Amino acid sequence: MVSNRNPSRRVSRTVQSVLSVSLLIVLLGVLAACQAPDSADETRRMFVAVELPPLTSDRASTGGVSFADFDGDGDIDLFVTNGYDVSSPNPDPQANRLYKNSQGRYEAQTIDGLTDLHGFSSGSVWADYDNDGDLDTFIANQRDQENVMLLQEAAEDGTTRFVKHAADTLAEDKGWSYSVAAADADNDGFVDIYVSNGGLSHEGVNFLYQNIEGTQLRRVLNTDAVSSAHASGGASWSDYDGDGDQDLVVANRPTAAMDGFKLSLFRNEGDLNFTRMDENALPADATFPMSVAWGDVDGDGDLDLYAGSLYGMANSLYENLGDGTFRIMDGGRATTDSSSSYGVAFGDLDNDADLDLVVANWGGASEIYLNDGAGYFDQTLSTMYERSIHYSGSMAMADYDSDGDLDIVIGNWPNQPGAGEENVLIENRFADGNWLKVALEGVDSNRSAIGARITVDVAIDGKARLQTREVSSHTGWRSQGELTQHFGLGDATKVAKVVINWPSGHTQTIVEPPINQVIAVREGNDRGRRQ
């Protein structure tokens, strides 16, 4: 059922938008005439593209961008998987890049076994695969290359290095692997792996690997999630039906041999068995889906689904009805603008306690949409960041400068080498409100707490509000946001409680945590601590 909105509301919004744009133009003229110093930026609400070499000056074809605190120092580092020049008839693989965050400055870092591993890399996912207390990574490679799991360890001289996991199945399973998503699909305390194959130019059966106590990988066969060859793009895990295990959605490029919906939804039945549910659960298919994201856009406690489409088609927003089914939502401009959306992600960009949306497009401008609180999105009028053409193949969000709001990185992969390959870092100077960040460490659950669901109970503008997040390893296509979860609090000066539902089945409550801080919560410790 398609939800309807009040037409007068849309007319009112249009009038308001016209007036707001006119006012913005006047204000910009005044500001330009005054020639305000750079310090004035601190008092103006905007998103701004910042130059931060070498991250924003590296000219390589970016496959994926993954935020991960690989060294555990509290600053969010960035790993960029670079692929190859698609205009070359015989392309060479490009080096991946690790950018260490040093108080909001990104510095290129060389690490044995990681940055010296050349390949036709597409996407990566970071998690503690062996539960030893540090983050490891799984890298998906194209052009029939072997995918790799790299485990982090300390070298004899005290430095950090990465060691290739000796999994025979990875050496055997080669394909055009574009994207990877991780979750503890069997709830055994270790993070499992799903690899999407095919993507833009090929078809293939996707890979599902069971992680056996961090030492072995076993390929799972004979289940719906890996039964057919598709041209698969982004895949993302989430417990959409609220039964305590991780379900899966996969975006597939249309092909002549495709059966059923292009947006494939798989319900987890336990024991690594999955049943395809899209035609029963979704009211309509997406047009040319390639990227997906989960988020509670209407504040009702369950996770809704957004699908980004290619070739100028509009994107789709599906409201989770809480009974295992969805309906199409009118998401405003987020569901009417034409797009070619390889990157989609939810996050509270203005700290007002609802989830906003970033859509990164290939061959056009990327968009920031603000949520009215009920899942209706308007394009933000703060367009003072550089509105250049992006060739986005990836996008992720994190608080890279640790100031309490979410920033954005866009990874570009154009058809030709040059300036279009330079990645874009967008700093958030728009957010205006209090905040809370929650960093989890599993004990009985997987160490990275992927799949944990966090609910924040807070009163904003005098009204009780519940915000829900789920710790996820993946969003969009080939991308990963930070595992620490960010909550905007608006004008709230305190939080009543934080409730954590762990993948193990445990429930944990933190009462009145401090705001405008990161709280670190270990499974079983109800007090939490400041990070």
Side-chain angles (χ1 to χ4, degrees), residues 9 13 45 295-300 304 345-358 369-378 397 406 428 430-431 434 456 458 460-461 465-469 486-491:
R9 180 184 182 188
R13 285 181 179 278
R45 298 183 66 195
D296 181 12
V297 302
D298 49 7
D300 64 354
D304 309 297
F346 289 112
D348 188 354
L349 291 161
D350 51 5
N351 282 355
D352 70 346
D354 56 40
L355 285 177
D356 308 303
L357 179 64
V358 179
Y369 298 103
L370 298 183
N371 189 347
D372 71 351
Y376 191 87
F377 295 86
D378 277 337
M397 286 189 282
L406 292 174
N428 186 345
F430 185 86
N434 294 319
V456 169
V458 62
I460 299 175
D461 295 330
R465 296 279 295 274
L466 293 177
Q467 297 184 61
T468 302
R469 304 281 191 276
H486 166 271
F487 297 84
L489 302 178
D491 68 350

Side-chain angles (χ1 to χ4, degrees), residues 134-153:
D134 53 38
L135 290 181
D136 315 300
T137 188
F138 189 102
I139 300 175
N141 292 312
Q142 299 178 52
R143 301 181 67 86
D144 290 321
Q145 273 197 335
E146 172 188 346
N147 300 321
V148 292
M149 175 185 279
L150 303 176
L151 301 179
Q152 183 177 171
E153 63 177 36

Side-chain angles (χ1 to χ4, degrees), residues 124-445:
S124 71
V125 161
W126 291 72
D128 190 351
Y129 292 109
D130 52 5
N131 286 351
D132 66 349
D134 53 38
L135 290 181
D136 315 300
T137 188
F138 189 102
I139 300 175
N141 292 312
Q142 299 178 52
R143 301 181 67 86
D144 290 321
Q145 273 197 335
E146 172 188 346
N147 300 321
V148 292
M149 175 185 279
L150 303 176
L151 301 179
Q152 183 177 171
E153 63 177 36
E156 292 181 1
D157 60 1
T159 60
T160 296
R161 69 180 181 186
F162 285 79
V163 177
K164 189 175 177 181
H165 190 292
D168 292 338
T169 184
L170 294 183
E172 297 168 359
D173 297 338
K174 298 178 182 180
W176 284 69
S177 298
Y178 278 82
S179 186
V180 55
D184 185 4
D186 54 0
N187 280 344
D188 67 347
F190 290 88
V191 175
D192 309 301
I193 299 159
Y194 190 83
V195 179
S196 298
N197 292 317
L200 294 174
S201 54
H202 289 74
E203 296 180 41
V205 176
N206 296 335
F207 304 143
L208 174 61
Y209 297 105
Q210 181 186 21
N211 181 355
I212 302 174
E213 298 184 347
T215 61
Q216 300 179 53
L217 292 179
R218 181 182 71 87
R219 186 172 171 186
V220 178
L221 304 171
N222 302 319
T223 187
D224 282 2
V226 291
S227 62
S228 302
H230 293 301
S232 294
S236 188
W237 296 91
S238 174
D239 183 10
Y240 82 87
D241 54 3
D243 65 351
D245 53 32
Q246 291 287 292
D247 310 298
L248 181 68
V249 66
V250 184
N252 299 296
R253 177 175 55 85
T255 62
M258 175 170 289
D259 58 338
F261 278 14
K262 297 177 285 295
L263 199 61
S264 300
L265 181 66
F266 301 100
R267 186 179 66 197
N268 191 338
E269 309 289 3
D271 297 324
L272 294 172
N273 186 34
F274 295 85
T275 300
R276 188 166 179 177
M277 298 297 298
D278 38 81
E279 293 190 64
N280 295 320
L282 301 177
D285 199 2
T287 309
F288 287 94
M290 188 53 67
S291 55
V292 287
W294 294 97
D296 181 12
V297 302
D298 49 7
D300 64 354
D302 47 38
L303 299 183
D304 309 297
L305 175 63
Y306 188 75
S309 289
L310 306 183
Y311 310 128
M313 300 298 174
N315 298 333
S316 303
L317 179 61
Y318 298 89
E319 180 186 1
N320 190 334
L321 299 180
D323 60 359
T325 66
F326 297 77
R327 70 175 179 179
I328 292 178
M329 288 186 70
D330 175 4
R333 290 196 56 176
T335 55
T336 58
D337 285 351
S338 62
S339 61
S340 189
S341 304
Y342 290 104
V344 295
F346 289 112
D348 188 354
L349 291 161
D350 51 5
N351 282 355
D352 70 346
D354 56 40
L355 285 177
D356 308 303
L357 179 64
V358 179
V359 176
N361 291 311
W362 196 97
S366 297
E367 303 291 353
I368 297 173
Y369 298 103
L370 298 183
N371 189 347
D372 71 351
Y376 191 87
F377 295 86
D378 277 337
Q379 182 187 35
T380 175
L381 293 177
S382 178
T383 55
M384 290 181 245
Y385 67 88
E386 186 182 358
R387 289 296 300 269
S388 60
I389 299 298
H390 296 152
Y391 297 94
S392 171
S394 52
M395 179 271 296
M397 286 189 282
D399 183 9
Y400 91 93
D401 50 6
S402 299
D403 63 352
D405 53 42
L406 292 174
D407 309 294
I408 305 162
V409 67
I410 295 174
N412 287 313
W413 191 335
N415 286 331
Q416 298 288 338
E421 293 179 296
E422 294 178 358
N423 299 324
V424 180
L425 179 63
I426 299 173
E427 182 182 340
N428 186 345
R429 300 179 189 171
F430 185 86
D432 183 19
N434 294 319
W435 53 275
L436 174 69
K437 293 199 291 184
V438 182
L440 300 183
E441 179 186 349
V443 177
D444 294 327
S445 305

